[in-house]
Amino acid sequence: MDLNFSPEESAFRAEVRNFVGEKLPAHIRDKVMNGVHLNRVDHILWQRTLHQRGWGGPGWPREFGGPGWTPTEQYIFEEECAAAGAPRLISFGLKMIAPVLMAFGTPAQQARFLPKIMAGEEWWCQGYSEPGAGSDLASVKTRAVRVNSPEGDHYVVNGQKTWTTLGQYADWIFCLVRTDPAAKKQSGISFLLIDMKSPGVTVRPIITLDGAHEVNEVWLEEVRVPAANLIGEENKGWTYAKFLLGHERTNIAGIGIAKRELARLKRIAEAEGRLADALFAARVAQIEIDLMALEITNLRVLSAERAKKAPGPEASILKIKGTEIQQAIAELMMQAVGPYALPFGQQDVGPDYAANLGAGYCNLRKLSIFGGSNEIQKNIISQMILGL
């Protein structure tokens, strides 16, 4: 197993670094580097900038309009973008529903949805979690009943989804729905694509601890969905859901982002004189060691993918440790500035770099919950690796 980058991969890194340095708008870079929330326009601007370069679908194969990058090249791209202060690409379209469409969608579905995802013309959100079905997704109760009619076969959907990230911006939502209530939990679920402009779809904001409107609850009341929007086979949605979650948990590791935020932590700690505190400095060093170990683990996964091996329980390891590291960095940033971290977003209280630290800490508590809680990921590891 060779974990070193080849000369070609090093040249690719230089190409990405030069492009991002030239094309990333300064106002977006400043927001990312200082932990300021990005808006819809910021995300779409960067997505369209990448699309113009032919990089709108990082990691997508050429047959679907992507650059045909290897997993290692995709990793390099994400690391360089994070280091330069580029926004993290919104994954719901690019890295979640797109791979499902490529693997299980019909040619008509692929032609309809994939180009608009890559061009930043349509925004997607995820309709998995419900009030009684979070990490236990097999308990979803949102119901879809198929109706055969002269106007066209369709489903009538009723139910509620929650914690729908950036659903207020979304044009489409991919949903797990129950189509056979008599079947075993995993066997009676289907995977539907729903237009957010459909009559009966209501988005209600959930304001989080940091005062931000990032997540929502989505109500579906007598929503008509064309049967052509079914992914794969009816009642086989659990298969497609598991496929999608493997991609989501690998992406959550966010190693490039963690590296950038660790550098930010060091700058803040230096400015506050905290690195002279041996205990504080030791905690920073431990996070850096953990991050280096996580990166090696991620590179091992990439090496396996070169041999066409899909991520298995390793995705759960990356998810657990990656989220823990990001949370630990946010906690130390807040501790470094002390009470100046408490007034969320107030630039006139304390140093400028302290304004968003408390809000950022609160926001990142979610990382160990979404994408399958870390406790559930530990169960997956114990079953699949340890055989318990």
Side-chain angles (χ1 to χ4, degrees):
M1 181 180 296
D2 185 2
L3 302 183
N4 295 309
F5 294 111
S6 68
E8 293 78 13
E9 289 165 346
S10 296
F12 174 74
R13 181 185 294 277
E15 180 184 2
V16 173
R17 184 175 298 176
N18 290 336
F19 172 81
V20 178
E22 292 175 3
K23 298 297 184 180
L24 178 63
H27 74 278
I28 294 179
R29 178 186 294 109
D30 290 343
K31 284 185 177 181
V32 172
M33 288 299 196
N34 292 288
V36 178
H37 281 292
L38 299 172
N39 57 38
R40 187 178 191 272
V41 173
D42 295 330
H43 284 290
I44 290 178
L45 174 58
W46 182 235
Q47 177 63 35
R48 292 181 178 175
T49 300
L50 292 173
H51 180 55
Q52 290 172 358
R53 177 64 176 80
W55 294 352
W60 287 25
R62 294 185 186 278
E63 58 264 35
F64 292 110
W69 290 343
T70 66
T72 303
E73 288 172 326
Q74 185 178 354
Y75 173 82
I76 291 171
F77 169 79
E78 292 177 349
E79 185 175 45
E80 288 299 321
C81 284
R88 188 170 189 169
L89 298 181
I90 300 299
S91 60
F92 304 109
L94 287 169
K95 298 183 179 181
M96 295 169 72
I97 188 59
V100 172
L101 285 166
M102 293 175 195
F104 305 106
T106 65
Q109 289 170 339
Q110 294 166 352
R112 162 63 184 83
F113 294 111
L114 291 176
K116 290 184 179 295
I117 291 172
M118 186 164 51
E121 295 176 5
E122 289 183 341
W123 191 299
W124 284 80
C125 63
Q126 182 182 41
Y128 272 25
S129 294
E130 298 180 4
S135 294
D136 182 18
L137 282 176
S139 297
V140 294
K141 292 183 172 60
T142 295
R143 185 82 168 91
V145 178
R146 184 158 182 154
V147 177
N148 300 318
S149 71
E151 294 78 24
D153 293 353
H154 62 274
Y155 291 91
V156 177
V157 181
N158 286 278
Q160 178 189 2
K161 298 296 179 178
T162 193
W163 310 121
T164 310
T165 302
L166 302 179
Q168 73 271 27
Y169 298 152
D171 301 296
W172 286 82
I173 182 171
F174 53 89
C175 275
L176 294 183
V177 296
R178 189 160 298 284
T179 44
D180 186 355
K184 291 182 179 180
K185 290 198 301 184
Q186 287 90 343
S187 301
I189 294 174
S190 296
F191 197 110
L192 282 183
L193 312 179
I194 302 176
D195 188 338
M196 292 289 281
K197 297 181 292 295
S198 302
V201 177
T202 304
V203 180
R204 298 174 183 168
I206 300 173
I207 305 303
T208 49
L209 278 173
D210 59 351
H213 177 196
E214 184 176 1
V215 291
N216 306 269
E217 55 184 11
V218 177
W219 293 84
L220 304 156
E221 301 171 283
E222 297 295 305
V223 178
R224 289 170 60 103
V225 181
N229 289 7
L230 173 72
I231 293 292
E233 299 179 47
E234 190 172 283
N235 299 323
K236 296 292 181 66
W238 189 249
T239 298
Y240 319 134
K242 290 191 297 182
F243 177 87
L244 184 151
L245 285 172
H247 287 269
E248 181 184 12
R249 288 163 186 165
T250 304
N251 295 329
I252 288 174
I255 292 171
I257 293 174
K259 285 184 174 182
R260 183 191 69 218
E261 294 303 289
L262 178 61
R264 182 180 169 212
L265 166 61
K266 290 179 178 179
R267 292 195 301 270
I268 292 171
E270 180 69 28
E272 293 290 320
R274 296 303 305 274
L275 293 181
D277 180 338
L279 182 57
F280 189 93
R283 293 185 64 188
V284 174
Q286 185 60 58
I287 289 174
E288 188 160 12
I289 292 168
D290 290 345
L291 181 54
M292 292 170 65
L294 180 67
E295 183 176 19
I296 291 296
T297 302
N298 199 86
L299 291 173
R300 291 173 63 190
V301 171
L302 293 176
S303 180
E305 288 186 357
R306 288 173 183 164
K308 306 300 182 183
K309 296 180 181 178
E314 299 88 353
S316 294
I317 296 173
L318 293 173
K319 197 275 179 180
I320 292 170
K321 202 61 188 176
T323 57
E324 289 178 348
I325 288 172
Q326 291 182 63
Q327 289 175 339
I329 291 171
E331 181 178 351
L332 283 186
M333 282 186 189
M334 190 170 65
Q335 289 182 3
V337 301
Y340 289 126
L342 293 178
F344 291 177
Q346 296 184 26
Q347 301 290 343
D348 57 343
V349 179
D352 289 345
Y353 54 72
N356 301 297
L357 297 182
Y361 168 84
C362 290
N363 184 274
L364 291 180
R365 305 320 295 165
K366 69 188 179 188
L367 292 184
S368 50
I369 300 173
F370 72 56
S373 73
N374 283 8
E375 289 77 12
I376 295 296
Q377 302 313 308
K378 291 174 183 177
N379 288 344
I380 292 173
I381 292 168
S382 68
Q383 293 167 5
M384 299 185 68
I385 296 180
L386 303 178
L388 300 178

